Amino acid sequence: MRSGYLRKLASLLVIFAVSIFSVGVYAEDEIIDNYAYYGFEPDLITNYISSGKKLGFVRISIELMVKDPEDLIALEHHDPLLRAAILEIMGSQTADKVKSLTGREEIRRECFDTVNRLMEQEVGRPIVVNLLFTKYLYD
């Protein structure tokens, strides 16, 4: 019972820390960065590597943060490429990594790096500032 409480508390602390570091920079009455978000629709669903007879799956919602709202057009155009890359990353993960907080962060970082590498190949520059898992369900 206590470990469930500690997990929830740790999750809330991680969300709080991410939200603090994701806030835009403001000057006197002027917004310096004009962030925008691109969400994959529908959610991404895939299997992960599990041991035993039970088939494990993960369902995630992802939001990509960009500095310039005009970059949303490029993300929408390359949605299938980015979706396939993220599904490939998720499908190659082990159950232990999918189910742990540190593993989840490693997966998020790998997805972020891959998305930016692909966007750099396609449009000539990395455009994603942050990648957020807004829903992360596994079984």
Side-chain angles (χ1 to χ4, degrees):
M1 173 129 175
R2 185 175 179 128
S3 76
Y5 173 75
L6 292 177
R7 284 185 188 158
K8 288 180 183 178
L9 181 61
S11 296
L12 288 173
L13 289 174
V14 168
I15 291 170
F16 178 72
V18 167
S19 66
I20 287 175
F21 293 111
S22 297
V23 174
V25 178
Y26 294 93
E28 295 179 29
D29 299 328
E30 181 181 340
I31 298 177
I32 294 178
D33 292 323
N34 192 16
Y35 292 112
Y37 294 88
Y38 178 79
F40 290 97
E41 290 295 329
D43 292 350
L44 287 86
I45 303 171
T46 190
N47 297 334
Y48 58 83
I49 300 170
S50 61
S51 59
K53 294 180 181 181
K54 186 177 178 186
L55 186 63
F57 75 92
V58 62
R59 176 180 184 161
I60 55 175
S61 293
I62 294 179
E63 297 284 330
L64 302 176
M65 185 170 83
V66 294
K67 281 189 177 183
D68 186 356
E70 292 186 16
D71 289 336
L72 295 176
I73 297 167
L75 289 175
E76 184 176 6
H77 180 72
H78 295 291
D79 180 293
L81 173 68
L82 302 177
R83 176 182 292 273
I86 292 170
L87 287 173
E88 187 176 330
I89 291 169
M90 295 303 298
S92 66
Q93 303 303 318
T94 63
D96 291 337
K97 198 167 185 180
V98 167
K99 294 178 180 182
S100 74
L101 285 175
T102 56
R104 185 182 318 179
E105 177 56 24
E106 289 174 18
I107 294 168
R108 187 199 68 79
R109 189 68 188 168
E110 183 178 352
C111 290
F112 171 76
D113 292 340
T114 300
V115 164
N116 262 336
R117 182 179 44 78
L118 289 171
M119 291 310 294
E120 187 169 14
Q121 289 173 358
E122 297 299 320
V123 299
R125 62 188 171 85
I127 61 174
V128 178
V129 176
N130 202 353
L131 182 144
L132 306 167
F133 290 154
T134 54
K135 182 191 303 178
Y136 191 94
L137 304 171
Y138 58 84
D139 184 31

